[in-house]
Amino acid sequence: MLRTELGISTFDDLLHHYPYRYSDRSQVTRIGFIDPRAEYVQLAGTLINIIEEGDGRKKRLIATLYDETGRIELLWFQGAQWMKKSLRENERYIVYGKLNVFNGVVNIAHPEIDLLNAETSIPGRQPVYPTTEKLKIKGITNQSFAKLTRALFEKISTGDVTEVLPVDIREQYRLCGRFQALRWLHFPDTEDHEHVARHRMKWEELFVSQMKIGRLRLKHTVQRGWHFEKVGDNFNGFFKDHLPFELTNAQKRVLREIRQDTGTGKQMNRLLQGDVGSGKTIVALMSMLLALDNGFQACIMAPTEILAQQHFFSISALLQEMGIPVKLLTGNVKGKVRKEILQELADGSLRIVVGTHALLEDNVQFKNLGLAVIDEQHRFGVGQRARLWSKNEMPPHILVMTATPIPRTLAMTLYGDLDVSVIDELPPGRQPIKTIFARDGQRAKVMEFMRKEVDKGRQAYIVYPLIDESEKMDYESLMAGYEQVKMWFNENTYRIAMVHGKQEAGERERNMQRFVKGEAHVLVATTVIEVGVNVPNASVMLIESAERFGLSQMHQLRGRVGRGAEQSYCILLAGSKTSDESYKRMQIMVSTTDGFRIAEEDLAMRGPGDMYGTKQSGLLKFKLADIVQDSGILEETRLAAIALLTNDPGLTMPNNQPLRYMLSQQGNQSQWGKIS
Ligand code: ADP
Ligand code: MG
């Protein structure tokens, strides 16, 4: 039961099943003096009138507790049967629980209840453990946990709990021992103890994760890679004669970083972060030219067909005058054309290929892949990225590009093993996007506004939430929205295209292309278009039911406009029922276009759990630590891990053996490191 419900099957698991708060059970209140505003009370008295009421699912158990000052009802809605058997009338009990006020009368439902006799004492501070309804029904209550854990601590001593933090680290960072920390975490006598214990265990959690990252990084830095010795005619020629604009300083800096990395003889693993529209594509392209200059092939991989096509078109256009052939390989490329591409990749005559996951298929063999660029990486599964690894005798250099700005604290935890480059500057001449918040009631005005923009020759997006493609409601509101848009925009004058996840890929593709080519004025879409699409002529982004979107998602959507010289607009259209939190999100959107600020706010509001598709990664799951609130500890542990690994890279010193053992025991979470 404990195992299936909470994953507890050993004593060690029990030790690490931490209380999430403590109750103060040092005071006993007399029943007549209960303050109805108090949240929890502890009472001592005699139990009488134990009766069952109701039938079937409505069955409940009621009992009365009295002392010399008054009486109060205790209630059980679940496990009534079991409770009835275990309680005895006219015995004295000590009772602790949360007060309910019902019609001006107080009662306690599901209290903790214990016989009170000569041997029992008033408990004091008590741990409160996470538990489940199922366990409660079986009578495994919070007290059961406390008793089990207390009994366990009576049997063990310092020697039974292996200390994993080396002593010098404990001294330097003033951390208490592991046994003590665990005991105080469960049974702190004072708040101070609790604080000391919690701090130590959080520290350990973050330190262990930083050690894992640090060890991955060590592995990478010894990983040999292709040596790009020179900057040659492709790179220089493009830079001198074919670059359509002046590079921003940020773009130049990142290119320098990439040149340095690839010139060391070690494999590059670099994450390129740049807000939407910051100009990552050109950096990718020039890095690929660098690979060509050194006799290698290069590829760029995008998460969707549409994105791959866009890269393909823009890269072919840029390289056309130089006569460097580029080909597109996606799932839709079949038959003879495909065969030819595969042949050319294998014999090395095709040097630049743009594609989707199709590039990862086993029959795609490169002659000498020197660089793989991965765009919008958070859409790629970890395993898929890892497969690029096996394409060569030596791994290609890897450049991962993402438009999702990642707060520093999170980047440290997620990508600590990658080097990070940031494009923190937008190309000049961009007009900041105006963001407008509107209520559903103002729809007519909003539509009017959009029509005027379209009449000026621009295009507009209308995006509906579709969190889960299977959600029927969302789908219906999308369809209804589409019909409505067709009413607002006269069909004889305006052309409306629609894309969503339920369309067959080919159809979605065609509709999208109509918008990309400017044949459709308005694109009605779900978040399918969130990532990467580049239509510079689009100047309005209308987000429907904006209250349902997360901050980062809205920011990504907004980044679809403002790519041309025209003033662009993002309109957040919200329903009448918006929670405070969603209102706050929309206000943040209105107040800033800074992707990093938005990411920080998002992290603060949502916590890291479900951001960036990292939910399953395991790397962000800590029992106690919170990378936002504990960023100070995170920084300490990062430094400590670096210092330790500098001193003892292989963890061979006797002092470090327990830590090494623990790291080897804790499964291999190196998934993220396998990006390369
Ligand atoms: P993202 O980083 O979102 O992938 P893109 O690479 O698609 O951004 O670039 C967005 C737009 O900005 C493109 O139209 C591109 O041609 C243009 N661009 C990129 N760099 C510069 C620059 N240095 N100066 C002017 N325009 C640029
Ligand atoms: Mg892009």
Side-chain angles (χ1 to χ4, degrees):
M1 194 78 184
L2 279 179
R3 191 172 56 80
T4 52
E5 286 294 295
L6 293 166
I8 298 174
S9 54
T10 65
F11 285 141
D12 203 50
D13 294 338
L14 192 62
L15 281 183
H16 294 283
H17 185 62
Y18 304 138
Y20 63 94
R21 64 178 187 87
Y22 306 87
S23 54
D24 178 10
R25 301 204 41 192
S26 54
Q27 304 297 319
V28 178
T29 305
R30 283 184 293 165
I31 295 173
F33 293 86
I34 292 175
D35 178 352
R37 289 163 305 181
E39 209 185 346
Y40 289 89
V41 287
Q42 175 161 259
L43 312 167
T46 309
L47 205 62
I48 50 168
N49 297 341
I50 304 176
I51 46 169
E52 267 180 290
E53 267 188 18
D55 285 308
R57 300 190 67 218
K58 287 220 177 107
K59 187 179 274 188
R60 56 188 183 152
L61 189 71
I62 305 176
T64 301
L65 187 81
Y66 75 89
D67 66 9
E68 65 286 358
T69 63
R71 51 176 56 208
I72 184 170
E73 276 192 348
L74 310 178
L75 303 159
W76 287 268
F77 303 100
Q78 279 153 341
Q81 210 87 53
W82 192 88
M83 278 316 294
K84 191 174 178 217
K85 271 186 241 153
S86 62
L87 293 176
R88 268 170 292 161
E89 289 191 356
N90 299 316
E91 290 281 355
R92 279 177 58 73
Y93 283 93
I94 182 139
V95 167
Y96 177 81
K98 197 171 182 173
L99 277 183
N100 299 316
V101 186
F102 188 72
N103 286 341
V105 180
V106 291
N107 64 39
I108 303 178
H110 294 269
E112 293 182 14
I113 182 161
D114 275 305
L115 268 178
L116 188 61
N117 50 37
E119 290 114 62
T120 1
S121 56
I122 302 301
R125 267 168 81 81
Q126 283 290 303
V128 182
Y129 293 95
T131 179
T132 66
E133 282 308 318
K134 260 196 190 155
L135 288 175
K136 272 190 210 156
I137 293 170
K138 292 280 172 194
I140 303 177
T141 61
N142 189 48
Q143 287 148 290
S144 327
F145 275 115
K147 274 180 202 155
L148 261 175
T149 313
R150 200 181 283 282
L152 182 58
F153 272 107
E154 271 161 25
K155 295 237 162 30
I156 61 174
S157 59
T158 321
D160 297 312
V161 174
T162 311
E163 176 58 74
V164 287
L165 295 181
V167 59
D168 41 337
I169 287 189
R170 263 179 26 231
E171 274 168 12
Q172 186 182 348
Y173 293 97
R174 298 165 172 274
L175 304 165
C176 73
R178 197 160 199 265
F179 175 77
Q180 189 170 51
L182 286 171
R183 204 181 53 189
W184 280 353
L185 200 54
H186 288 279
F187 304 107
D189 300 323
T190 65
E191 269 180 42
D192 247 14
H193 285 179
E194 180 204 334
H195 181 78
V196 166
R198 219 165 253 282
H199 179 76
R200 141 82 206 214
M201 294 314 289
K202 280 180 178 178
W203 211 96
E204 178 183 312
E205 283 179 352
L206 291 170
F207 180 68
V208 166
S209 87
Q210 288 302 311
M211 281 300 290
K212 286 180 186 161
I213 290 167
R215 299 222 299 173
L216 282 173
R217 182 187 272 279
L218 270 184
K219 245 194 232 162
H220 285 324
T221 51
V222 297
Q223 179 73 53
R224 287 190 335 109
W226 302 116
H227 190 183
F228 291 1
E229 286 170 341
K230 59 171 190 235
V231 182
D233 292 345
N234 291 306
F235 188 97
N236 285 331
F238 180 82
F239 185 74
K240 272 214 295 289
D241 301 326
H242 302 285
L243 196 59
F245 37 68
E246 175 103 12
L247 292 178
T248 62
N249 285 327
Q251 285 168 323
K252 285 184 197 158
R253 188 188 63 236
V254 172
L255 278 168
R256 265 201 305 277
E257 287 166 351
I258 291 168
R259 264 175 55 189
Q260 259 163 26
D261 272 6
T262 52
T264 57
K266 289 175 193 152
Q267 189 218 5
M268 172 175 80
N269 275 285
R270 188 165 281 278
L271 176 72
L272 173 55
Q273 278 190 51
D275 211 344
V276 276
S278 61
K280 295 184 289 296
T281 315
I282 203 84
V283 172
L285 172 62
M286 293 182 71
S287 310
M288 293 200 282
L289 292 175
L290 195 63
L292 264 54
D293 276 340
N294 288 277
F296 291 95
Q297 294 168 297
C299 72
I300 178 164
M301 188 163 75
T304 66
E305 182 95 22
I306 292 168
L307 279 178
Q309 275 191 18
Q310 285 214 336
H311 277 314
F312 172 68
F313 288 131
S314 54
I315 289 174
S316 322
L318 286 164
L319 293 183
Q320 195 174 21
E321 288 175 23
M322 294 178 71
I324 299 173
V326 180
K327 288 192 176 172
L328 177 69
L329 184 66
T330 68
N332 284 347
V333 179
K334 298 199 173 102
K336 219 180 102 205
V337 184
R338 184 183 194 85
K339 229 172 137 187
E340 203 175 276
I341 294 177
L342 295 187
Q343 181 54 43
E344 290 173 358
L345 285 176
D347 68 23
S349 55
L350 177 61
R351 294 192 294 164
I352 294 187
V353 64
V354 180
T356 54
H357 306 79
L359 288 174
L360 299 172
E361 280 162 25
D362 288 338
N363 58 6
V364 180
Q365 293 295 330
F366 291 86
K367 178 156 182 266
N368 56 358
L369 182 63
L371 170 72
V373 182
I374 304 173
D375 196 12
E376 310 290 359
Q377 66 86 32
H378 60 289
R379 290 281 175 109
F380 273 107
V382 170
Q384 287 166 328
R385 275 176 268 141
R387 279 163 65 182
L388 273 176
W389 182 245
S390 58
K391 294 249 163 228
N392 264 150
E393 56 187 278
M394 195 126 84
H397 296 298
I398 302 280
L399 183 65
V400 176
M401 305 198 293
T402 175
T404 313
I406 299 167
R408 214 176 79 84
T409 46
L410 195 57
M412 238 197 268
T413 316
L414 271 183
Y415 302 110
D417 61 318
L418 299 186
D419 294 306
V420 180
S421 289
V422 182
I423 305 188
D424 48 7
E425 182 187 357
L426 289 181
R430 295 270 173 84
Q431 292 199 46
I433 302 163
K434 287 201 175 120
T435 303
I436 299 148
F437 171 74
R439 293 279 186 190
D440 224 10
Q442 295 159 287
R443 181 174 294 273
K445 254 170 87 184
V446 169
M447 289 298 161
E448 183 70 18
F449 175 79
M450 286 182 67
R451 214 163 40 212
K452 276 198 187 130
E453 281 295 300
V454 170
D455 287 341
K456 287 189 212 160
R458 318 232 208 291
Q459 290 164 279
Y461 296 96
I462 303 180
V463 178
Y464 284 81
L466 195 66
I467 311 317
D468 178 352
E469 296 288 356
S470 64
E471 273 183 40
K472 202 160 157 271
M473 281 283 290
D474 283 341
Y475 185 69
E476 279 167 7
S477 72
L478 172 72
M479 290 306 158
Y482 178 56
E483 293 305 321
Q484 220 184 24
V485 173
K486 283 204 289 196
M487 267 164 40
W488 290 106
F489 286 84
N490 184 327
E491 268 189 277
N492 297 324
T493 324
Y494 304 97
R495 278 176 303 278
I496 320 286
M498 176 165 66
V499 295
H500 59 78
K502 284 205 168 162
Q503 284 164 334
E504 176 255 318
E507 186 190 354
R508 187 163 70 223
E509 201 58 46
R510 278 191 300 281
N511 291 336
M512 192 69 217
Q513 285 305 339
R514 280 176 62 212
F515 188 73
V516 172
K517 289 190 188 131
E519 291 164 15
H521 300 101
V522 178
L523 183 71
V524 175
T526 60
T527 43
V528 173
I529 57 145
E530 190 182 332
V531 171
V533 177
N534 191 25
V535 183
N537 189 48
S539 70
V540 185
M541 166 62 67
L542 170 62
I543 303 180
E544 291 273 0
S545 304
E547 74 276 7
R548 290 181 49 194
F549 286 86
L551 266 175
S552 295
Q553 213 179 8
M554 283 193 274
H555 180 66
Q556 288 290 313
L557 288 170
R558 179 166 61 183
R560 297 304 113 216
V561 296
R563 305 188 143 229
E566 308 302 336
Q567 175 63 57
S568 290
Y569 303 89
C570 174
I571 305 168
L572 308 174
L573 198 53
S576 49
K577 284 187 209 125
T578 48
S579 68
D580 286 352
E581 202 163 287
S582 52
Y583 184 71
K584 190 175 163 208
R585 283 200 298 272
M586 292 184 281
Q587 287 311 310
I588 293 169
M589 285 296 293
V590 170
S591 70
T592 183
T593 52
D594 177 346
F596 277 91
R597 226 202 94 195
I598 287 173
E600 297 280 0
E601 297 274 6
D602 203 13
L603 183 62
M605 284 179 78
R606 273 205 292 167
D610 51 13
M611 292 179 74
Y612 312 108
T614 55
K615 222 177 197 164
Q616 304 91 334
S617 81
L619 265 179
L620 291 178
K621 260 187 238 138
F622 299 110
K623 279 188 166 156
L624 298 172
D626 170 322
I627 61 166
V628 181
Q629 264 150 41
D630 301 320
S631 58
I633 303 181
L634 181 62
E635 183 64 33
E636 270 182 19
T637 58
R638 193 178 69 93
L639 294 176
I642 291 171
L644 180 61
L645 285 170
T646 310
N647 240 334
D648 184 13
L651 296 183
T652 50
M653 292 179 190
N655 244 349
N656 299 331
Q657 290 320 299
L659 179 61
R660 179 181 173 178
Y661 181 73
M662 181 185 202
L663 290 170
S664 72
Q665 284 306 95
Q666 284 207 357
N668 197 350
Q669 291 189 336
S670 62
Q671 291 281 25
W672 289 90
K674 285 199 195 126
I675 283 170
S676 46

